[in-house]
Amino acid sequence: MSDLARAFLDSMLIENPVVMTFVGALLAAVLPRSARSSYTPALRYALALFLAGMVGGAIAAALPSVAAPAVYIVVGLLGVGSLLAVGELRGEWLGMPQAVLATAPLVGVQLLASTYGDFDLVVAAAGGSAIGFAVMFVLVGAIREASRISETTDTFKTNPVVLFSLAVFAIVFAGFLFW
Amino acid sequence: MVMDQSLRVERVVLLGMVTLLGATGDLATALAALVISAAAALVVYAAWALLRLSVSIPAAARWGALIAIGFAVSWALASVAPYLVPIRDGAMLFLRIAGLMPIVYYAAGDGASGRDVLVSWAQFTVLVAGAGAVREFFGRGTLLGYLPGGSFTIRAGFLASPVGAFLLIATVVLAARIVSSALGTSNEAAGGTDE
């Protein structure tokens, strides 16, 4: 397996930003309401994560390490701004702007991608993270929707089901640790 | 009262979810994450108190500045943490982004009273320290890197993994739901966007 393919698949599976490295766990656990309504947001978030990971990761890897945090936060905030511009992250969550939810994944993916060093590997890692996030975003939307319309009591609906389901996905992705 | 607390536990889990998942693999890292998060929250709150005096600053710029400040504090303190306590390599990521967690900005939001913020932080402290202790003791067989009292444990390695992290906080949320359900309250305002 080439280094490029390895970086891409590692970032999508064993470093999945939702269930393995957690940086996108909150965003994916809270925002998607159903599978069908998650397709477009998932694509937008994936594109923002890919661009942030590629640009921020490449710049941070090329600059002295002392400048890296400034790069991460500037690129992260630009990513949040671009998501707001296309209509995502509108409204509030627990009294805060929903934009607060997106900063951790946008910065976290840059941090993860920059560890690969070479530009082509950073691009592959950013792409893998973005696709891994998008797939989990839609799947969580489907799980949340299914739990919401199920006939069980409210006790077991939505958040508990989503979190236990993410544990199961973590078991699945952990199976790729030894390839 | 108990009903409110159980619903708040679920909110607190969501507010600090990434820190609860990523920085609780061992107790030392969990305590470091707690200190970093609290310091970031205090600095962010102070900055928010200063910024709100100026009505001319747009909300987007104000929140952008708060997020940058929170991240700067957590990044700086995370750089110092390995000199004070042993931090696993993989956990540095979560210490560095601890200042980006929503719980850091909870006091600067619109929806929480001062008492609510303080109680939420008390619960967050218990959750992070408790999760760190449980995951290290049962997942690695140690506590703060030592065998506690010469005890013997059969390690449940999955508790130290991402699987154990999700299982632990899912169990906490489910327990909070069961308590609130038994007491006859609804699950509204627990943090989901569709509840």
Side-chain angles (χ1 to χ4, degrees):
Chain A
M1 187 185 301
S2 73
D3 288 345
L4 271 181
R6 178 101 195 187
F8 178 79
L9 292 172
D10 278 0
S11 297
M12 188 169 58
L13 299 171
I14 63 177
E15 293 175 4
N16 184 282
V18 175
V19 292
M20 298 302 278
T21 54
F22 310 127
V23 292
L26 179 59
L27 187 66
V30 167
L31 283 190
R33 294 170 55 86
S34 66
R36 188 181 293 272
S37 66
S38 300
Y39 297 148
T40 304
L43 286 175
R44 288 171 174 166
Y45 289 123
L47 186 59
L49 286 173
F50 172 64
L51 292 174
M54 181 179 68
V55 174
I59 293 175
L63 290 177
S65 59
V66 69
V71 173
Y72 295 139
I73 196 64
V74 168
V75 173
L77 290 175
L78 287 173
V80 169
S82 63
L83 285 167
L84 284 166
V86 296
E88 297 297 333
L89 300 172
R90 297 291 170 90
E92 291 194 338
W93 181 73
L94 295 181
M96 293 169 278
Q98 282 191 4
V100 173
L101 299 172
T103 52
L106 284 165
V107 171
V109 165
Q110 293 177 67
L111 275 157
L112 292 167
S114 66
T115 59
Y116 285 88
D118 296 336
F119 179 72
D120 53 348
L121 295 179
V122 169
V123 174
S129 292
I131 293 173
F133 177 86
V135 170
M136 289 309 304
F137 192 89
V138 174
L139 285 173
V140 171
I143 292 165
R144 184 173 281 274
E145 180 182 20
S147 78
R148 196 173 55 243
I149 63 177
S150 69
E151 293 181 352
T152 186
T153 62
D154 283 352
T155 306
F156 300 100
K157 289 184 176 181
T158 60
N159 287 336
V161 171
V162 166
L163 292 172
F164 278 114
S165 301
L166 290 176
V168 175
F169 280 113
I171 295 172
V172 173
F173 287 126
F176 293 95
L177 279 170
F178 304 106
W179 71 355
Chain B
M1 182 66 179
V2 178
M3 292 184 288
D4 292 344
Q5 296 304 320
S6 59
L7 284 178
R8 187 184 279 120
V9 166
E10 185 172 347
R11 278 208 305 272
V12 169
V13 167
L14 294 176
L15 285 165
M17 183 192 275
V18 178
T19 302
L20 266 170
L21 288 168
T24 55
D26 60 85
L27 185 54
T29 306
L31 294 176
L34 198 54
V35 170
I36 291 170
S37 300
L42 286 173
V43 175
V44 164
Y45 183 74
W48 170 76
L50 287 174
L51 288 174
R52 72 173 176 169
L53 296 176
S54 173
V55 292
S56 60
I57 300 175
R62 189 166 67 242
W63 276 100
L66 292 178
I67 289 168
I69 290 168
F71 180 62
V73 172
S74 64
W75 185 283
L77 292 179
S79 303
V80 178
Y83 296 104
L84 302 174
V85 288
I87 305 291
R88 290 176 299 112
D89 286 344
M92 277 302 289
L93 169 68
F94 304 104
L95 299 187
R96 285 173 168 162
I97 64 171
L100 296 174
M101 296 307 110
I103 191 144
V104 169
Y105 305 95
Y106 194 42
D110 297 329
S113 64
R115 182 181 173 282
D116 185 33
V117 171
L118 287 176
V119 175
S120 296
W121 267 95
Q123 290 182 345
F124 183 63
T125 301
V126 172
L127 284 170
V128 170
V134 167
R135 289 185 66 197
E136 182 179 353
F137 184 71
F138 292 105
R140 302 175 196 277
T142 61
L143 210 51
L144 287 172
Y146 299 99
L147 282 172
S151 64
F152 174 77
T153 58
I154 300 172
R155 289 183 294 164
F158 75 94
L159 264 174
S161 71
V163 182
F166 277 115
L167 283 179
L168 196 61
I169 69 164
T171 304
V172 169
V173 169
L174 182 60
R177 285 280 186 98
I178 289 172
V179 169
S180 63
S181 175
L183 295 170
T185 188
S186 74
N187 295 310
E188 290 177 4
T193 54
D194 52 356
E195 290 156 310

